[in-house]
Amino acid sequence: MVAQGESNDALLGQTTCGTLLHELQIIWDEVGESDEDRDRMLLQLEQECLDVYKRKVDQAAKSRAVLLQSLADARAQLVRLISALGDNSLPGIRIPDKSTGTIKEQLAAVTPTLDHLCKQKEERIKEFTQVQLQIQKIRGEITRERATGVPQVDEQDLSLEKLDEYQSQLKELQKEKSDRLRKVHNLVSTVHDLCAVLGMDFFGTVSEVDPSLNDSSSASIQSKSISNETLAKLSNILSTMKEDKLKRLQKLRELATQLMDLWNLMDTPNEERNSFSHVTCLISAGVDEVAGPGVLALDVLEQVEVEVQRLDQLMATKMKEIALKKQLLLEDIYARAHLKVDTSAAFESILVVIDEGSFDPSEMLQEMEKLVEKAREESMSRKEILDKVDRWMLSCEEESWLEDYSQDQNRYNASRGAHKNLKRAEKARILVNKIPALVETLATKTRVWEAERGTPFNYDGVPLLAMLEEYMLLRNNREEERRRLKDQKKFQERANSSTTNGGTGSKRHSMNQNGSRSASRNGQRNAARPSAPVNYVAIAKDDTASHVSSNNPAGSGSP
């Protein structure tokens, strides 16, 4: 059977159209087919052969057309790829010549280049996609607009120049992201420092902005929000916290200043002051210099406020004591300056303000010091005149003593202390002789003082010029009285010298003469002391004031 099969194959391999036609004619001869039938069948056979050839030609034409279309498509695709990828990215790539080789050879020459460019296109698309994805991501982080899906790549332009443009955009965005991350980090760090100084919850504060900001691990740095909204919120929070810091610092400075003023006013020991040294050190500190945990926390402010309130209450009590001391000091200054000034009204108003609690201790002390300083200045302006008044009064006292001494009949007796009185009398006469000039000088200076200040110079409420005028008037009256008594004495002596001596008459004359001398002495003594006191300014101040007031009502008042 194997040999028979091989024989059939050999026969089939040697069969041709002529052998088949010969075999067909043998069959027809044996069958006895007519010539007409044979011609008809041969014609039919020829037609069938033509149909077969025609189909084969059509198929070959279609196949050629397909190959030509494939070649054209390949060429077109090759052109598009070269255009899309750019000439600069395809060194050595060229389109095969159409006139070289058969269609299949041309197609075979294009196919490897086309496959290479297709792969390169796929790789380029991946590169574009990756770059655009990163750009899309960073832009989303900045604008907080989340993009969905893969970005659409423009396959018509996959050139290296376009890729470089995207990469440049990516680099700019990466730099912007880096700058934003650094800015966010700086803002968050500043917020952290301010939260520490103000005693605020840092994590709670930044979580309100964005939850990603409260994670300080290095792995989460790149994942922190860098959006415009986040930066704006951080900037607003930071601005608010800085304003809050400044307000708290100003408040704490005011409280610390009050605290130090109260300490200084009450002589608070250093041990008690040291407990608030962390507050008082901020008085001269700048805003940027204030740092440290809880330095400006609300509880610190509250603690200082409570301490200031406590010291204010103590200060109110002490200020009353100080006010009373200042009033006594003021009254003493005015008393030494012989000024009658009512200080009670001013200090009563001070006590009312202290009771109301609406006072500044420093300002109040300054006001009281101003009152005292004004009194001292006024006292100093009167000092030169008062010194001369003291000299005048001392001279008047000596004048009064000398008058009494001159009337003493035993002044020349060798009694104990007589020589001292004699020396005092000599000095007293010198002082008394200088009284008119002293009074004149005192009156001149007093008038100058009054002209400069436009107010009378009062001494214990009495105008000094009126005192001086009345003193000089009394002194002149006294001198006139002395001269009158002296003339009367001379007259009596002349009368007595003409009387006859002898007997009882002589005794009577002697007695009358002694009586006249005694009367003369008493009269002279009484005449030397007029109704107004001789030593006018040496008597008690109240009596002086009332006496001068009664004699010169228009001179009352105080400067």
Side-chain angles (χ1 to χ4, degrees), residues 107 184 246:
L107 186 59
V184 167
L246 181 59

Side-chain angles (χ1 to χ4, degrees), residues 11 208 307 385 433 453 536:
L11 291 174
E208 292 180 0
E307 180 65 13
I385 295 177
N433 291 333
R453 290 162 178 77
Y536 175 78

